[in-house]
Amino acid sequence: MDILNALALFANFVAIPALAYGSQLALGALGVTLIFGILRFAYFAHGDLMAFGTMLAVLTTWGLQGAGIGIAPLPTALLALPVAILGAVALSLAADRAVFRFYRARRAKPVIFVMASVGVMFLFNGLVRLIIGPNDQRFADGARFVFTARDFKEWSGLAEGVALRQSQALTVVVAALVVAALFWFLQRTRTGKAMRAYSDNEDLALLSGVDPDRVVRVTWIIAAALATIAGVLYGLDKSFKPFTYFQLLLPIFAAAIVGGIGQPIGAIVGGYLVAFSEITLTYAYRKFFAYLVPAWEPDGLLQILSTDYKFAVSFIILVVVLLVRPTGIFKGRVL
């Protein structure tokens, strides 16, 4: 029974949160890896693009709630998601037209694109803060839990409960559907095959009749949609705060590089590896080990790192991978 309590405790505070967080990172990393794989540069504005799309979802959700429109027990933000995606896509295409197309026409070096993306990042960041402000905003509504810890305790008879929040379940389901749709698009459609060909060999793809402008356009559209979906799911699960999305850029890049930058499947695997690493290394295991070894009463929290160092875990993973295996798990391109 104590082992079952330990497993329930671990599932409630580590496994389920890490699964949801990993799904959010995987969607964000997919956008980064697509841009790198096709446009050949590291897009540092991706975190703030997530913030912009989520901001539009928050504002639209508030408008729908004020009008009495909802889809309870599901969150109203799902109705706002298409509007948010359209806004993020429009901003991404505008940034490409105003900034990146200029350097692409002159075949500028990747480092120039990276520096330009840093400028775009600050522009997006300032725009979001100007419109909605820097403070924490909550926009989740509908049912809060799929099942509560009390429900689990009554069902299982255990001392420890497992709760599954609706936002966590929604994150995993939506992420699975989006990833499946993306891989179907890349593998089965003519545009998806053109994007893969352009990524593998740009010159050969152009000789084969691939329209580079269309490939670039579709890449920005998909990346903006992925960023918005990831941002909204993260906001529903936690809350919306612009600076938090700026910080998310580090674990998202770590996920993309760990999996293999430019490899979509690597971005997904990397997202879950980073998420589980962050949460397992910052969880206090005192109660967990007390269940496993009842005769032993730990003096401390048995916490490897404080939660304040959560993002440091991503940084360490990023540095180690770049030093030991820069191509990542699935042998992507080297930064």
Side-chain angles (χ1 to χ4, degrees):
M1 188 64 74
D2 285 339
I3 293 176
L4 292 178
N5 278 315
L7 291 175
L9 189 71
F10 186 83
N12 194 45
F13 291 103
V14 177
I16 293 176
L19 188 62
Y21 181 43
S23 299
Q24 295 150 13
L25 291 184
L27 290 176
L30 270 172
V32 167
T33 210
L34 277 176
I35 292 173
F36 190 92
I38 295 172
L39 303 183
R40 305 290 198 279
F41 73 95
Y43 187 51
F44 279 85
H46 200 71
D48 288 291
L49 178 62
M50 289 172 64
F52 181 83
T54 309
M55 177 198 70
L56 294 180
V58 172
L59 296 176
T60 306
T61 298
W62 287 346
L64 292 172
Q65 289 171 342
I69 300 172
I71 51 172
L74 295 174
T76 308
L78 292 181
L79 290 178
L81 195 55
V83 176
I85 290 173
L86 287 174
V89 167
L91 184 68
S92 291
L93 293 177
D96 180 67
R97 186 178 184 85
V99 179
F100 300 114
R101 189 172 69 168
F102 172 83
Y103 295 111
R104 200 162 50 247
R106 285 155 181 78
R107 290 189 170 271
K109 294 181 178 179
V111 67
I112 302 297
F113 284 91
V114 171
M115 296 307 296
S117 76
V118 172
V120 172
M121 174 187 74
F122 286 117
L123 178 64
F124 287 0
N125 188 286
L127 186 62
V128 172
R129 290 172 185 242
L130 179 66
I131 294 173
I132 202 170
N135 299 325
D136 224 0
Q137 307 288 353
R138 297 188 179 274
F139 62 106
D141 57 2
R144 190 176 177 189
F145 291 97
V146 176
F147 57 84
T148 64
R150 178 180 294 179
D151 294 334
F152 184 85
K153 287 179 183 179
E154 291 174 353
W155 171 78
S156 65
L158 296 175
E160 292 295 334
V162 177
L164 179 63
R165 295 201 307 271
Q166 186 193 72
S167 59
Q168 293 170 330
L170 193 64
T171 291
V172 175
V173 171
V174 170
L177 293 174
V178 169
V179 168
L182 176 64
F183 275 82
W184 176 85
F185 174 81
L186 292 175
Q187 298 289 335
R188 301 293 183 183
T189 66
R190 185 174 181 179
T191 303
K193 292 176 182 177
M195 291 171 68
R196 288 164 52 210
Y198 189 87
S199 175
D200 290 338
N201 192 317
E202 181 180 344
D203 294 330
L204 186 59
L206 295 178
L207 289 174
S208 302
V210 171
D211 182 357
D213 292 332
R214 178 179 172 80
V215 168
V216 169
R217 207 162 43 242
V218 173
T219 301
W220 284 118
I221 290 171
I222 294 175
L226 290 169
T228 303
I229 294 169
V232 170
L233 291 174
Y234 183 88
L236 287 172
D237 193 31
K238 278 86 173 175
S239 65
F240 173 71
K241 190 175 184 180
F243 186 69
T244 302
Y245 286 78
F246 172 78
Q247 291 178 314
L248 276 177
L249 189 64
L250 177 58
I252 284 172
F253 262 92
I257 292 169
V258 166
I261 191 76
Q263 297 287 351
I265 189 66
I268 298 167
V269 173
Y272 288 109
L273 281 175
V274 169
F276 274 90
S277 298
E278 284 190 6
I279 294 178
T280 53
L281 290 175
T282 55
Y283 176 64
Y285 287 92
R286 179 176 182 175
K287 197 173 183 181
F288 177 79
F289 281 106
Y291 277 122
L292 292 181
V293 190
W296 177 49
E297 184 68 29
D299 294 328
L301 292 175
L302 296 184
Q303 188 176 19
I304 299 172
L305 290 172
S306 167
T307 52
D308 294 334
Y309 294 97
K310 178 181 168 184
F311 289 113
V313 176
S314 301
F315 181 75
I316 293 168
I317 291 172
L318 185 61
V319 171
V320 170
V321 170
L322 287 175
L323 290 174
V324 177
R325 190 181 174 88
T327 57
I329 297 171
F330 292 91
K331 294 186 179 180
R333 294 184 175 90
V334 180
L335 282 173

